[in-house]
Amino acid sequence: MSHEHHQSSGRLRKAPESFLDPVGVRSVWAEAKEGRRHFIRNAFAAAAAGLAAPVVSAQSNPVPAEGGDPNILNLPAHTTGLGQGVVTDGYGKPSQYEVNVQRRQSPGLTQTTQASVSFAPLQSLFGIVTPSGLHFERHHQGWWDIDPSKHRLMVNGMVKTPMVFTMDEVMRLPAVSRFYFIECGANTAVEWGNVAVPTVQYTHGMISCSEFTGVPLIRLLELAGIDLKKAKFVLAEGADGSSMTRTIPMSLITSGEVLVAYGQNGEMLRPENGYPLRLVVPGVQGVSWVKYLRRIEVGDMPWAAKDEAIHYMDLMPDGTHRQYTNLQECKSVVTTPSGGQVLLDKGFYNITGLAWSGRGKVKRVDVSVDGGRNWRTARLQTPVLSKCLTRFNIDWVWDGKPAIIQSRAQDETGYVQPTYRQLRAVRGTRSIYHNNAIQSWLVQESGEVKNVQLS
Ligand SMILES: Nc1nc2c(c(=O)[nH]1)N[C@H]1C(S)=C(S)[C@@H](COP(=O)(O)O)O[C@H]1N2
Ligand SMILES: [Mo]
């Protein structure tokens, strides 16, 4: 590569704007910028308070003034000294400068004896994979680190030969690895009534996406001699104290998509995500992804278990309940700029976000910066996979005036993500689960971004 490109007449040239700070979180490091000190302090205060990392535009990184940039001119210790040896505890950790990127508990949820939900920091993540240590958590009765040598998986009910598998036996079978999202049915729940929480971490952070590795459940059922003419449903049961049992229709299982998974992002599942074994039910709400999976029972009728007959139902405007609404419909959200972030200057921004559908692939995402009057189609980052998160990006030049940013996804079935008005016309306002409405972020003249709802 020629140096010419970066240098002209002995002075550093400004790099193309869009390369400087593509997601806008890096400027919190920019200690050298005197004029920004108040902002930096605010940024760290915001981080401590559980808010999102701020955003700045490329224009806030100008060419250094006379005298040059001390960060370039003064050789730092890491250039002159000897660095550290290999990581001695054998398992790497994120940089100390990334401590504000954390799972967080919602200020909008009441605490009981212990926290039972943590949200993934969507505003700080790139691409489509959620790092395992930042995967959201939902525990109905706490999490456990179960000894895999003692864990068993029973397959019983309408099968010829009921079987019990050890972990070794499960892991000997032919395995597959696939990328899928998991979204709690209650994701975005607090937004049903009104605007309740400040950041995308809290509005949408009960979704994560991983590469899962395991055995298609249908293989285990075949080994046990399932009669596919009689069997219509399975019951999946967890080994924790929550008595978590869920009915899964055979149609999802015979397609080979449902996995008995032990792997997550290249390593074993994390304890909080179901180690050593969990069910992966692509496209279906998180509650059906039974963790600490210990039993699969084959039957011919739904079980109407407690988490199907009391919880996880949708209260409709006419007072009836929708039951077995398992599928997560097409949805999307802009993750930057999003609530709690700050745009420092007008100018170029890369608007980015995530889209997904429980019915298959995302076909298209449109983005509006004027509250839904005009839409432009965003670029979808490949790969675009079925029942997986899809990253979208679109260029935007902010003129410094108030703007309302929204994204609207469409999946391969043609289904289009609804507005709040459209969603409430069908579902009312008293639901908890399955809120897939279009999210609005208001960029104020000050640059501060706020969660708003348009009626
Ligand atoms: N055994 C068991 N499985 C469970 C749960 C649980 O509490 N116990 N919670 C369910 C719910 S409601 C969700 S949203 C997902 C959350 O998975 P995660 O904690 O890995 O994000 O697990 C589901 N499976
Ligand atoms: Mo959930």
Side-chain angles (χ1 to χ4, degrees):
M1 266 259 287
S2 153
H3 287 248
E4 239 177 355
H5 182 70
H6 298 287
Q7 280 182 309
S8 66
S9 58
R11 196 160 181 270
L12 274 173
R13 250 174 54 186
K14 208 168 154 181
E17 290 189 343
S18 55
F19 289 12
L20 277 172
D21 195 4
V23 288
V25 291
R26 261 167 251 165
S27 61
V28 294
W29 309 335
E31 292 264 4
K33 300 200 175 36
E34 282 302 328
R36 300 286 177 221
R37 277 207 192 280
H38 70 283
F39 160 71
I40 293 159
R41 224 178 293 120
N42 290 347
F44 283 111
L51 296 174
V55 178
V56 292
S57 81
Q59 291 170 352
S60 65
N61 287 321
V63 175
E66 269 87 282
D69 186 337
N71 290 300
I72 297 170
L73 296 177
N74 307 332
L75 286 184
H78 61 250
T79 304
T80 55
L82 175 64
Q84 303 180 59
V86 293
V87 173
T88 47
D89 71 3
Y91 203 105
K93 290 187 191 65
S95 161
Q96 60 179 312
Y97 301 105
E98 301 298 324
V99 286
N100 63 337
V101 181
Q102 288 188 15
R103 299 195 271 224
R104 294 182 194 281
Q105 296 157 37
S106 174
L109 294 176
T110 36
Q111 293 296 311
T112 48
T113 45
Q114 58 176 12
S116 65
V117 181
S118 73
F119 295 77
L122 301 184
Q123 71 283 357
S124 304
L125 303 182
F126 315 118
I128 57 173
V129 172
T130 313
S132 297
L134 296 173
H135 193 290
F136 83 95
E137 299 164 85
R138 175 71 180 101
H139 315 302
H140 291 244
Q141 194 70 20
W143 62 271
W144 297 91
D145 195 359
I146 294 173
D147 181 346
S149 72
K150 297 189 177 137
H151 189 72
R152 301 290 183 268
L153 174 65
M154 181 185 290
V155 176
N156 69 346
M158 296 172 79
V159 291
K160 247 184 236 117
T161 325
M163 292 181 81
V164 172
F165 296 86
T166 64
M167 282 304 296
D168 285 337
E169 285 163 349
V170 170
M171 294 177 74
R172 282 177 70 170
L173 297 171
V176 296
S177 295
R178 298 195 203 113
F179 293 87
Y180 292 120
F181 77 80
I182 166 175
E183 182 182 24
C184 177
N187 199 21
T188 324
V190 285
E191 298 291 302
W192 265 113
N194 52 33
V195 179
V197 289
T199 70
V200 70
Q201 179 156 14
Y202 300 129
T203 58
H204 289 76
M206 279 202 280
I207 189 163
S208 292
C209 183
S210 300
E211 185 192 42
F212 291 100
T213 298
V215 182
L217 174 57
I218 189 68
R219 295 286 97 78
L220 300 180
L221 298 180
E222 284 165 357
L223 286 172
I226 187 175
D227 180 350
L228 281 173
K229 280 194 210 88
K230 281 203 213 123
K232 292 282 172 278
F233 300 92
V234 309
L235 182 78
E237 178 183 87
D240 56 333
S242 66
S243 303
M244 179 54 70
T245 52
R246 292 286 305 183
T247 301
I248 318 285
M250 275 310 294
S251 54
L252 293 178
I253 297 164
T254 47
S255 73
E257 268 194 345
V258 174
L259 304 181
V260 171
Y262 44 82
Q264 178 184 354
N265 296 332
E267 59 183 359
M268 288 297 285
L269 290 163
R270 293 292 171 91
E272 59 270 37
N273 302 121
Y275 181 90
L277 211 56
R278 94 173 300 168
L279 204 62
V280 166
V281 195
V284 168
Q285 61 178 334
V287 66
S288 291
W289 297 47
V290 173
K291 303 190 274 191
Y292 321 111
L293 182 70
R294 73 166 175 205
R295 195 168 68 91
I296 295 286
E297 183 180 330
V298 179
D300 57 5
M301 287 199 312
W303 274 259
K306 84 167 160 38
D307 286 296
E308 297 167 339
I310 302 171
H311 311 292
Y312 295 93
M313 296 194 302
D314 301 320
L315 181 55
M316 303 298 279
D318 65 1
T320 59
H321 277 97
R322 278 195 338 189
Q323 202 181 4
Y324 295 113
T325 46
N326 288 324
L327 215 121
Q328 294 301 101
E329 294 285 6
C330 189
K331 184 167 170 181
S332 69
V333 68
V334 169
T335 54
T336 292
S338 62
Q341 297 184 319
V342 182
L343 310 186
L344 282 183
D345 288 301
K346 40 191 173 187
F348 178 85
Y349 289 90
N350 177 48
I351 296 177
T352 189
L354 296 165
W356 59 96
S357 168
R359 294 190 189 274
K361 290 184 184 174
V362 169
K363 190 167 86 188
R364 174 172 158 179
V365 178
D366 294 320
V367 171
S368 173
V369 294
D370 59 7
R373 248 166 261 130
N374 296 286
W375 297 89
R376 286 186 297 143
T377 301
R379 302 184 296 276
L380 301 187
Q381 172 64 57
T382 53
V384 176
L385 301 171
S386 184
K387 303 173 189 180
C388 180
L389 291 187
T390 296
R391 168 71 58 179
F392 64 87
N393 293 285
I394 190 167
D395 298 349
W396 179 44
V397 178
W398 183 41
D399 59 9
K401 301 206 182 85
I404 293 177
I405 301 184
Q406 304 176 320
S407 65
R408 180 182 66 194
Q410 187 178 346
D411 69 18
E412 60 183 340
T413 71
Y415 176 98
V416 181
Q417 185 183 1
T419 62
Y420 266 101
R421 186 193 295 250
Q422 291 167 332
L423 185 71
R424 289 190 178 122
V426 179
R427 302 276 309 282
T429 55
R430 292 186 296 160
S431 253
I432 298 170
Y433 307 105
H434 308 295
N435 175 357
N436 68 325
I438 291 172
Q439 170 72 38
S440 303
W441 302 116
L442 168 66
V443 180
Q444 297 165 287
E445 232 160 322
S446 65
E448 287 163 80
V449 186
K450 253 179 71 177
N451 183 2
V452 293
Q453 268 185 32
L454 305 185
S455 53

